[in-house]
RNA sequence: AGACCCGUAGCUCAGUUGGUUAGAGCGCUACGUUGACAUCGUAGAGGUCAGCGGUUCGAGUCCGCUCGGGUCUACCA
């Protein structure tokens, strides 16, 4: 196979991917004896398209999987997609509205709407699958899963039922985050906070002054809370007051003492609105206070707020009530205030805390058997990370994780939407309730209308994807039995690494730990690797709202190929480190790829020149004891590189590993070795061909996890021409312990330094670069090696002659000298060169002096000095000084030349 | 309000448990390039490691404070 002049990703990538897939390299074998290495792909939205976040995730996971596969593990990467409940349902509803169905829920009904959404998912799921392939993901498509697959549904219901029986799932009235816009509850993690300009009102509230940013909620107060030790209010504690609000209800409030009240804030007295504040609800629970709902699910005031205010929006009511308080002389003061408000991350609309009957998972109930103890879900989550059973990278995220657990409240899992896993609970009348996977026998049962939070099913992802689909379809098989009899689960769980963005540590990673430890008694994964965000050139998170700097991974693949995209996201990648993805960065990676291409070509030609055409490169032996020191040096460099790369991989330092490979490839292989072998005797030695072939194979393997396509192509074209084996199935380079040639290597390292030193002299002395120099070297150490490299040195420094000296250098006028522990080197400036050098220096002297005169003239101009920007003046002054110094040093050099 | 991260060359970032002269890529300057290079190579300039204080024989690295940038969490009404 001949190699094209350039790598054309568009021509080859799709074909290479197909050959990988056809070869069966992606498919893992559950019956294998090899150690398992599993990654569950965080499932992208089934209806979505690939963005940079996915791209970096796929690049890292594919890197890990390819590396472990080559290392000899039974590597399984399970791909899949997520039904993304709220997102998908709202997309389809908007779409239907665009098609003229004003109220899709009302007009189509539940069954039909769900059918339409499923249809939409079916039709768009292919897009993301195709895009996952385009980036080169070597995942096991035979095991692809979807969060609504029947066997996953089975697992969801089974876990729900068991948690219900264990009392970990309960139904009850709680303050939920209600999104009046989407008409559903959202979890604590689906809201974000924003500071918005608001007002802080201080009200006359019976005998108290009470501060609030939401006066309208005071219509539903049932208590006043103060700190129990607050002397100012001691006499009121325990008393009940009636407060008649203007044009509103008369409320009864009890004065309670509560530790959570900050006496320093506002007036130290807090009006308690249990129905519309999480904090106040908690206070109400502690003091057994009643609850009055004055804000409805439509975001408007209810009858309980009084006839006058009922029907107003919250904002209208706030203004109206404040006006009435003012008129009644009850408004003590109003000031501007930056108010933190909660917004739904889907709809971007404010959420309203409301009391509602919901399903919850208790995180504090000690009902989970774990390693011989009974722990709460919270405790298990803490224990597994504390004990090191699960390791989080970067490490500092562990602290964030613990902090989150400490503040975790019961998880509201019911959603008032239709797309998703429906709550597996049936009701009959007031009394009867049934929980299970299938509808109960008998008539009159109706199923709960809510669905489960998407994260509930996602939380089971690492193991529900590994249960056997056929077994799961058999209702006689219990969940423990199902796990026990599923070969994939037995072989591949717990998974090795969970790789995802740190932004979903809580949404998802923590919930997987919570659910999986409970349901399977195992941790879901050993290591959590959290990658950073991909930022644009300005350091902003990439999003569709900044299209001018956002990078579309598909466009990059189209233009540069998947390899360049992957490498630019992996070079410099460290756990949790955000990464700026710019064009410059990608151009740099493109160049490295081109270099790899060209070096591979040169290696191939060079082997051919030594051994003749038609030699099987894959069959060439790895040299054990090379005769020439430069060959030994190269083998030792490779040995050290493989060792370093393994170390970096083990530490999840992928960016660092790439840097090591790149530096060695360019600096050691390309810039020195490939130049050195152009001259005899190296260029004619058979062992050189063997070293070249070994280097070729090794660098291609090392680069493979980063640049899978181009390395696979080069492998097929240049290495495995005969056998046809693919690089993806090759074994990872070994550290050849025998490749230590200390004396030879140190000698060659001295030669490398010698070359650099002489080049330095040439540059320093401003020698005519085309000119050949006369070089004299006295070797102080490794003399034999240095002398054997004579032709290489001569070529690399452009020496016309190289004289080896035995004694110290004489006092040679006009010679420039470099000193090193291993050598002394002198560049003799021949008579002709000295003349040319003098002419050149005189020319330079003239130009510099002319420039200096101009600068000094400018500085002598008083107008310039006093009126111009001081920075400009300073810069001219500095330039003048520089020029003066340059003139002086040129004169010195001319004197030295004699 | 709390927590966490970051501050190192013009730009993007490395810098492993404290240890000689703080590195890379890009950019810049100069020069070269007939025998792999839509180029590539060689050399060079450029840093008070944000600031202050402390621990130490020794601090970019450990500790404290300050300043600046960012992120997350939160029940300050």
């Amino acid at each position: 196979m001949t190699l094209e002049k350039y790598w054309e990703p568009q021509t080859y990538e799709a074909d290479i991917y197909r050959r990988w897939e056809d070869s069966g390299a992606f498919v893992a074998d559950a019956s294998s004896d090899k150690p398992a290495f599993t990654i569950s792909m965080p499932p992208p939205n089934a209806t979505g398209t690939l963005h940079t976040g996915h791209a970096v995730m796929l690049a890292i996971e594919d890197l890990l999987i390819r590396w472990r596969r080559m290392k000899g593990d039974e590597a399984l990467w399970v791909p899949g997609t997520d039904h993304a409940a709220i997102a998908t349902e709202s997309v389809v509803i908007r779409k239907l509205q665009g098609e003229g169905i004003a109220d899709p829920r009302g007009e189509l009904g539940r069954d039909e709407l769900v059918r339409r959404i499923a249809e939409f998912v079916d039709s768009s799921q292919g897009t993301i699958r195709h895009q996952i392939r385009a980036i080169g993901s070597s995942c096991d498509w035979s095991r692809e899963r979807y969060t609504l697959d029947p066997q996953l549904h089975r697992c969801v219901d089974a876990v729900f039922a068991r948690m219900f029986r264990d009392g970990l799932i309960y139904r009850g009235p709680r303050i939920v985050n209600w999104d009046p816009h989407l008409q559903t509850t959202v979890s604590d993690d689906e809201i974000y906070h924003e500071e918005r300009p608001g007002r802080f009102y201080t009200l006359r509230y019976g005998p108290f002054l009470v501060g609030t940013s939401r006066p309208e909620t005071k219509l539903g107060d049932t208590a006043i809370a103060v700190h129990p030790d607050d002397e100012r209010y001691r006499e009121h504690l325990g008393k009940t007051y009636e407060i008649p609000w203007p044009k509103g209800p008369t409320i009864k409030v009890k004065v309670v003492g509560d530790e959570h009240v900050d006496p320093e804030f506002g007036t130290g007295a807090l009006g308690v609105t249990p129905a519309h504040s999480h904090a106040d609800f908690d206070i109400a629970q502690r003091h057994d206070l009643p609850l009055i709902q004055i804000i409805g699910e439509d975001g408007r005031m209810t009858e309980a707020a009084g006839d006058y205010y009922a029907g107003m929006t919250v904002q209208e009511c706030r203004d109206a009530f404040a006006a009435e308080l003012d008129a009644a002389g009850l408004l003590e003061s109003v000031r501007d205030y930056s108010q933190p408000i909660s917004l739904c991350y889907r709809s971007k609309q404010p959420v309203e805390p409301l009391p509602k009957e919901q399903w919850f998972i208790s995180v504090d109930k000690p009902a989970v058997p774990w390693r011989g103890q009974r722990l709460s879900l919270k405790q298990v989550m803490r224990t597994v990370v504390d004990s090191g059973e699960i390791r989080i990278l970067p490490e500092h995220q562990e602290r964030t994780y613990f902090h989150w657990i400490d503040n975790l409240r019961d998880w509201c899992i019911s959603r008032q939407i239709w797309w998703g896993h429906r709550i597996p609970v049936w009701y009959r009348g007031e009394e009867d309730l049934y929980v299970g996977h299938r509808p109960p026998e008998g008539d009159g049962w109706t199923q709960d209308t809510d669905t489960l939070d998407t994260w509930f099913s996602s939380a089971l992802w690492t193991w529900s994807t590994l249960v056997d689909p056929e077994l799961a379809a058999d209702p006689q098989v219990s969940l423990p039995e199902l796990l026990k009899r599923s070969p994939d689960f037995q072989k591949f769980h717990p998974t090795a690494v969970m790789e995802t963005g740190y932004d979903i540590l809580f949404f998802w990673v923590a919930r997987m730990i919570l659910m999986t430890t409970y349901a399977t008694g195992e941790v879901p994964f050993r290591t959590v690797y959290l990658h950073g965000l991909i930022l644009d050139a300005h350091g902003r998170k990439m999003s569709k709202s900044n299209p001018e700097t956002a990078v579309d991974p598909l466009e990059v693949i189209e233009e540069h190929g998947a390899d360049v995209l992957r490498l630019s996201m992996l070079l410099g990648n460290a756990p949790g480190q955000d990464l700026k993805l710019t064009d410059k960065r990608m151009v740099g990676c493109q160049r490295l790829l081109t270099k790899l291409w060209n070096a591979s070509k040169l290696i191939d030609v060079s082997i051919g020149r030594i051994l003749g055409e038609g030699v099987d490169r894959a069959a060439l032996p790895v040299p054990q004891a090379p005769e020439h020191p430069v060959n030994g040096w190269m083998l030792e460099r490779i040995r050290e590189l493989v060792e370093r790369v393994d170390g970096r991989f083990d530490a999840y330092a992928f960016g660092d590993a790439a840097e090591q490979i790149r530096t060695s490839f360019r600096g050691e292989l390309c810039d020195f070795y490939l130049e050195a072998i152009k001259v005899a005797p190296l260029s004619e030695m058979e062992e050189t061909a063997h070293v070249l072939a070994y280097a070729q194979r090794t660098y291609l393997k090392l680069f493979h996890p980063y640049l899978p396509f181009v390395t696979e192509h080069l492998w097929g074209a240049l290495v495995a021409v005969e056998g046809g084996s693919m690089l993806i199935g090759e074994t990872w380079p070994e550290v050849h312990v025998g490749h230590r040639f200390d004396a030879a290597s140190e000698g060659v390292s001295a030669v490398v330094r010698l070359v650099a030193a002489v080049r330095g002299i040439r540059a320093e002395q401003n020698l005519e670069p085309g000119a050949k120099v006369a070089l004299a070297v006295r070797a102080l150490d490794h003399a034999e090696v240095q002398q054997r490299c004579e032709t290489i040195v001569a070529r690399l420094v452009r020496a016309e002659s190289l004289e080896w000296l035995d004694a110290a250098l004489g006092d040679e006028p006009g010679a420039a000298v470099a000193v090193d522990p291993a050598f002394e080197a002198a560049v003799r400036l021949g008579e002709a060169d000295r003349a040319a050098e003098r002419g050149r220096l005189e020319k330079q002297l003239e130009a510099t002096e002319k420039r200096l005169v101009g600068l000094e003239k400018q500085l002598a101009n008083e107008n310039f000095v006093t009126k111009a920007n001081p920075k400009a003046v300073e810069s001219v002054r500095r330039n003048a000084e520089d020029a003066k110094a340059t003139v002086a040093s040129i004169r010195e050099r001319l004197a030295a030349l004699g």
Side-chain angles (χ1 to χ4, degrees), chain A residues 316-329:
Chain A
E316 286 165 358
C317 180
R318 181 175 307 167
D319 295 338
F321 185 49
E324 294 303 329
L325 286 170
D326 199 19

Side-chain angles (χ1 to χ4, degrees), chain A residues 145-158:
Chain A
R145 296 290 183 260
Y146 174 48
T147 48
L148 290 182
D149 281 344
Q151 76 270 28
L152 272 75
H153 189 215
R154 169 80 207 281
C155 295
V156 164
D157 287 353

Side-chain angles (χ1 to χ4, degrees), chain A residues 461-679:
Chain A
W461 185 246
T462 60
W463 57 272
S464 60
T465 50
L466 296 175
V467 302
D468 190 276
E470 280 179 30
L471 273 177
D474 181 349
Q476 301 304 315
V477 180
S478 68
L479 182 60
E481 213 178 327
L482 180 59
L483 296 176
K484 208 170 166 189
R485 288 170 53 192
S486 293
D488 280 2
F489 178 80
Q490 290 303 323
K491 175 75 184 174
F492 295 110
H493 203 270
T495 64
V497 182
M498 173 48 62
E499 191 286 327
T500 187
Y502 62 72
D503 46 339
I504 57 172
L505 175 62
F506 308 133
F507 278 100
W508 191 41
V509 177
R511 300 211 193 288
M512 282 190 281
I513 296 173
L514 182 156
M515 292 296 245
T516 305
T517 48
Y518 170 77
T520 70
E522 291 181 356
V523 292
F525 30 70
R526 303 279 180 214
T527 301
V528 178
Y529 181 95
L530 299 167
H531 63 249
L533 302 175
I534 300 296
L535 306 175
D536 68 15
H538 303 293
R540 296 174 305 197
K541 187 172 174 175
M542 273 194 199
S543 74
K544 287 168 195 155
S545 47
N546 302 318
E548 71 283 1
T549 49
V551 173
D552 179 351
L554 297 161
E555 280 173 20
V556 178
I557 291 175
E558 186 60 37
E559 194 187 336
H560 300 282
D563 287 334
V564 168
L565 175 66
R566 294 167 61 120
L567 187 62
S568 39
M569 290 191 302
L570 292 169
L571 253 178
N573 194 307
Q577 187 68 52
D578 294 348
L579 189 83
K580 281 189 193 173
L581 186 61
T582 58
D583 284 343
K584 254 191 210 166
R585 201 183 175 83
M586 287 183 279
V587 167
C589 292
Q590 174 73 64
R591 285 189 184 155
L592 179 62
L593 192 153
T594 305
K595 185 89 176 165
L596 175 63
W597 183 266
N598 287 313
S600 300
K601 224 159 49 176
L602 175 64
I603 289 174
D604 190 59
V605 169
S606 305
I607 295 172
R609 205 159 37 212
I610 298 169
L611 300 180
E613 293 310 312
V615 174
D616 181 0
R617 268 72 167 154
L620 292 177
V622 182
Q624 289 313 314
E627 199 269 317
H628 197 286
V630 168
N631 281 330
W633 174 86
M634 190 67 235
L635 291 175
E636 191 164 317
R637 298 279 76 73
I638 292 174
R639 171 187 165 281
E640 282 181 3
L641 173 64
V642 172
E643 206 168 18
R644 278 202 305 277
V645 169
D646 274 348
R648 306 298 153 113
F649 265 101
D650 286 337
Y652 293 87
F654 312 123
D656 215 4
E659 193 63 47
Q660 297 292 333
I661 301 167
R662 174 170 73 170
T663 306
S664 164
F665 169 72
R666 294 195 87 115
E668 294 168 345
L669 181 72
C670 294
D671 296 345
F672 187 79
Y673 186 70
L674 291 185
E675 292 303 321
I677 61 142
K678 285 176 180 171
V679 290

Side-chain angles (χ1 to χ4, degrees), chain A residues 440-473:
Chain A
E441 304 284 325
D443 296 329
W445 291 96
T446 52
Q447 188 172 4
D448 196 299
T449 54
D450 287 356
T451 48
L452 287 166
D453 181 4
T454 310
W455 300 107
F456 189 101
S457 49
S458 310
L460 317 181
W461 185 246
T462 60
W463 57 272
S464 60
T465 50
L466 296 175
V467 302
D468 190 276
E470 280 179 30
L471 273 177

